[in-house]
Amino acid sequence: DTAVSQTPKYLVTQMGNDKSIKCEQNLGHDTMYWYKQDSKKFLKIMFSYNNKELIINETVPNRFSPKSPDKAHLNLHINSLELGDSAVYFCASSRVVGVHQQETQYFGPGTRLLVL
Amino acid sequence: EDQVTQSPEALRLQEGESSSLNCSYTVSGLRGLFWYRQDPGKGPEFLFTLYSAGEEKEKERLKATLTKKESFLHITAPKPEDSATYLCAVQAPLGGNKLVFGAGTILRVKS
């Protein structure tokens, strides 16, 4: 059973296009995240939603807009794609662990976006 | 600003040659330190969470330890299938539970 799934796995598109990436988790978690992994393999947080409410919004261009229709889904829409948007985008979800309330985040397989 | 530095950037080992990966961090009020493994073309796979200095966790050939400034991932008698990128991340109380990742250590184990 896939815990965190993303579609599509690969996305090749032209500059200026608008595209969406979808994420679904079947772990019963209430928090979901979008991370970007650039060519240097650095993973950086973009957004986080808790119970459909946006709780993290890092310094990301306005062209990126997340949407969470319910706790199990988090989508990422990107307008006017630029060459610099080429990267791997990972979705993650988390649960509360023990009395410390730290959250272990589980990642999806990633969406490889290439903008030409 | 929360910061995570991993060393070395890359490590080549012979099968059976034990070694350690380092993760040094600067964070105000550590809530958790996480180790992940990432294989090429895949998402990070969770390995360990450490909460406080002195804590240790083990899984097969891997053992993670934590001090107030750094964490080590010890690999005992590695096998070729341990080859991957190992990522360290910290979670701070501020910032909505986001993870701040290091750049990772690429481990290659040759038979």
Side-chain angles (χ1 to χ4, degrees), chain B residues 37-104:
Chain B
R37 168 191 171 131
Q38 186 174 23
D39 292 300
K42 296 193 175 181
E45 176 188 343
F46 171 70
L47 293 174
F48 303 109
T49 307
L50 301 167
Y51 299 123
S52 55
E55 189 174 0
E56 299 182 352
K57 288 193 177 173
E58 284 188 71
K59 180 181 178 181
E60 296 180 355
R61 294 177 294 281
L62 301 177
K63 179 181 176 180
T65 61
L66 181 65
T67 72
K68 289 186 177 180
K69 294 183 178 180
E70 58 191 350
S71 176
F72 290 93
L73 184 65
H74 306 279
I75 304 176
T76 302
K79 297 182 178 182
E81 53 261 43
D82 294 323
S83 297
T85 297
Y86 290 85
L87 300 170
C88 172
V90 296
Q91 189 172 42
L94 300 177
N97 296 321
K98 69 179 181 183
L99 291 180
V100 177
F101 279 87

Side-chain angles (χ1 to χ4, degrees), chain A residues 9 33 35 37 40-43 45 48 55-56 58 90 97 100-110 112, chain B residues 4 30-32 34 36 38 40-46 49 51 87 91 95-103:
Chain A
K9 187 171 182 179
Y33 310 80
Y35 286 85
Q37 189 171 44
K40 294 184 178 181
K41 305 300 182 185
F42 235 116
L43 263 170
I45 184 74
S48 172
I55 56 173
I56 296 175
E58 293 291 292
F90 288 100
V97 180
H100 297 284
Q101 303 291 297
Q102 285 90 354
E103 302 179 4
T104 298
Q105 296 183 20
Y106 294 88
F107 285 78
R112 285 138 192 87
Chain B
V4 177
L30 179 72
R31 290 184 63 188
F34 298 79
Y36 286 85
Q38 186 174 23
K42 296 193 175 181
E45 176 188 343
F46 171 70
T49 307
Y51 299 123
L87 300 170
Q91 189 172 42
N97 296 321
K98 69 179 181 183
L99 291 180
V100 177
F101 279 87

Side-chain angles (χ1 to χ4, degrees), chain A residues 41-91:
Chain A
K41 305 300 182 185
F42 235 116
L43 263 170
K44 192 169 182 183
I45 184 74
M46 299 174 69
F47 302 103
S48 172
Y49 270 79
N50 177 265
N51 286 319
K52 300 194 297 177
E53 180 183 349
L54 182 66
I55 56 173
I56 296 175
N57 187 351
E58 293 291 292
T59 308
V60 177
N62 291 337
R63 300 181 293 102
F64 291 79
S65 53
K67 280 191 179 177
S68 180
D70 55 58
K71 287 197 303 183
H73 296 85
L74 180 62
N75 303 324
L76 182 65
H77 188 77
I78 315 170
N79 290 324
S80 303
L81 279 155
E82 300 178 356
L83 294 177
D85 297 331
S86 296
V88 183
Y89 293 85
F90 288 100
C91 176

Side-chain angles (χ1 to χ4, degrees), chain B residues 11-30:
Chain B
L11 182 61
R12 289 191 175 191
L13 298 174
Q14 286 295 122
E15 185 172 2
E17 180 187 1
S18 301
S19 188
S20 297
L21 313 182
N22 177 263
C23 170
S24 60
Y25 63 90
T26 305
V27 64
S28 52
L30 179 72

